[in-house]
Amino acid sequence: MQLKGIVRFLTIAMIVIGIYQLSFTWVAHHTETKAEEQATKLLAKDPATATLTADQKNELQRKTKNHILDSMNSEVVYNLGLVKYTYQDCKASELGLGLDLKGGMSVVLQVSEEDIVDALAQHSSDANYRKAFDIAKQKMSNSTSDFATLFAEAYNEVAPNGKLAAIFNSDQIKTDGVSFNSSNSEVLSAVNKEVKDAVKRTYNIISARIDKFGVTQPNISLDERTGRIVVELPGVDNPARVRSYLQATAKLEFWEVFDNSELAPKLIDANKALSARIRALKAGGESADTATNSLLSASTDSTQAPALMPTNTKATGNKGAASAKAAIKKDDKKAEAKKDTSLASRQAKAAEDYALFTIWTPMTDNKGQFVPNTAVVGFVLGKDTNKLNLYLNSQEVKNALPKNCMILYSAKPIDFTKRGVKNPTAAQKNTYEIYAIKKRLNDDNAPLDGSYVTNASRDVSQQGGNEIVMQMSSEGASIWQRLTAKNIKKAVAIVLDNKVYSAPTVQNEIAGGRSSITGDFTAKEALDMANILQTGKLPAPAKIIQEDVVGASLGTDTIKAGFWSFLVALLAIVILMWVYYSVGGMISNIALVLNLFFTIAVLTGFGFSLTMSAIAGLVVTIGMAVDANVIIFERIKEEILRGKSKQKTVEDGYKASYAPIIDAHVTTFLTGAILLYFGMGPVKGFATTLICALIINLFCGILITRWITDWMMSKNRNIDYVTKLSRNLFRHFNFKFVENRKYAFMISGALTLISLGSIFTRGFDKGVDFLGGRTYNVQFAKPVSTEEVRQKLTVAFENTSPIVRTVATNNQLRITTSYKINETDSKTDSLVEIKLYTGLKDYFPEGSYKDFQKQVLSSQKVGPTIADDIKSSSFWATLISLIVIFIYIWLRFRRWQYGLGTIIALFHDVI
């Protein structure tokens, strides 16, 4: 009786708490609906909206609604008398929707632990260190261990008697108590500690950045075991901006620069030396080394420098408005005067005589003279930067240029429309400025860096453009004052992540530590950069190794699909239980509904989001919930056939059912816990929902149904466990399973052999999770041929053949490609998307690239490292689950043969 009272109290309490917890979702949704209606009314009154397209109206509607909701953040929308909640409070406590239901972006960032270790070693050139470092780097791609551990193993192999204290002797390591006499284990322990601290600092900085990003209900978590940061940003619609924002290291530096006229003689010498080297290598034919041959084979589009700058402008210092006509143009005109000179021969001659200037267009005036008093020392096409980098790394160019010279490019291409060119050419649109940074000899550190920046914000410059205003600490202000005093009438380059954003000419000494970065920024770019500088630079680079992008339209479709799958499963079970078990079935249905209600309320209370995998977990829960009641009711029916009283049949039926119900729940719980530990992303969501629902199911399926049954019996209510339809169903069935086992073995053996044959001959068609790659779900206007799409994309992806499949409808394709999946550059993702558009643009003849992006309903990226980890975690999750189940059955039934039989049966069914 006391137990019944506790069950009754807990049930009522959980219902009240669940209603309270889910009420925030209703209030938030109601508030958003009112904001939507208000936005619609406001736009209806604006006559300017009549000229907008449907897409423009929807975008304006969305922005207006968000603006209204932003203004309501601190407004009380839920009044419970003593407690009042604002809209922001309700949003924080509502049942969140996952990215696959709401749309948005999820990324997994891998903190570069190898860069941290190398920095702690001060990029040592010690042969043993470098060899061990390279070995550890190779192992890292196929290992779940952290880099510090792999490096320790590799160093012990390479140099068993080596002394790491001589390599790791930076001040940062010494603060951890490491000295020259420290053992290797002590040094490695300190290195490992510093790596973990750096990973945590990176996590904290990215968290701070996300807080400033302006996304509702972001989710960020750190896996310290692997150094990975998982970021979920619901509702974002600009993946490129997110990638740039999260991966920016924020390495801000202030550098002195070489003036164009100051560098000119050295630049001419570099061109002569490189040209002479090329002529010598050509004369040597096959004896030229392979690396230099690759330099020589790099093609150029023209023998003359591209007309990068408008010819009617004058030199204006840093703004570089002078004509960029190189000396090679004169020789080219002479070559054109010779009728017998072909284009190929002129290209060859230019490549020999002006090897450097065919790529690097010098900053010259109309007469071919180098323009003085400017920080811009030349121009280069974006497509030629890699080739120019190869030239700059050649020994000839290194010897000719000053030892303290470092070449950097502008952060963005030149905007020629702002310089008087109405219709810039394709080359002009992709042209970057070149700067020659002046380093101090034997010192790679900038005179001033971003560590001294205490505050940064976006502002509007006097010219009306966007700029980033920075305030420095007192020490930084002193350094900045000395640096500007030294460079009056000279330029100082402001460099962020090795890209020059501006190089203003210093007019006067600047005191107070206030400075600004100007450039062709949009408001969002300026705000993002200010936020990045404000929160600080990353201790180590963080690269995106997995990415999921889900469009809002696909999220809406997924919600519908998830809702209907859940509803159909629920109705099917409810009807089946009622038809088969009569009143007992309805009691089970009440417990089932409470089970689902409690599970969703608990998930909401703990801040979990509802995803498709969570819905899958709830659907499985429906089956598990009624399974317990099926066992109980079948036991009760057996007791009824023995002629026992109703009260006795219920008591004995429940008692006899406890063991199998608990066994089933414990084994499923253990499997779910293993999935939760080893799983990633959706697997974790499924496991979390399953574990939560299993615990609640024991309470609802056993205690609540028993309480309701006893209450009805105390009121003399008749409880039936059969209906006319189910009364005699299966009663007279007599399946001779054991007697016919030989036939079963024969059929099972044949199917097993056929299955194994298929596995070993055809193999598995592995998805992107196991192979690594990118997957795009693309919506077309009408059905298209998968083979035709595959052929077009094979050309676009440079002979890398994609996998193309139809999904959902005939006009929706899932395209998977491994093209450039091993490249880690932050621009690679955008490049692959452009290649995808290039291959498919025939199907979107009237749409631009931005229009095409709207047809990409979702995208997923899985890097090779993540793919290896998924394979590894899948293997270990499966193996450990089998071992745990075997041990549980062995301990539970005291016979290992039962456990072995279960494992064999599982293998049989999977095969």
Side-chain angles (χ1 to χ4, degrees), residues 633-650:
F633 295 162
E634 289 299 322
R635 292 285 189 177
I636 290 174
K637 284 163 65 178
E638 290 177 4
E639 298 302 324
I640 291 173
L641 291 175
R642 294 191 176 114
K644 294 183 179 179
S645 65
K646 264 292 177 63
Q647 184 67 38
K648 187 63 174 175
T649 57
V650 170

Side-chain angles (χ1 to χ4, degrees), residues 487-518:
N487 288 277
I488 294 176
K489 303 302 179 185
K490 297 179 181 178
V492 173
I494 300 176
V495 180
L496 183 66
D497 291 339
N498 291 325
K499 296 172 185 174
V500 179
Y501 278 83
S502 62
T505 300
V506 178
Q507 301 299 332
N508 299 292
E509 176 183 319
I510 302 174
R514 186 177 174 83
S515 61
S516 64
I517 305 175
T518 58

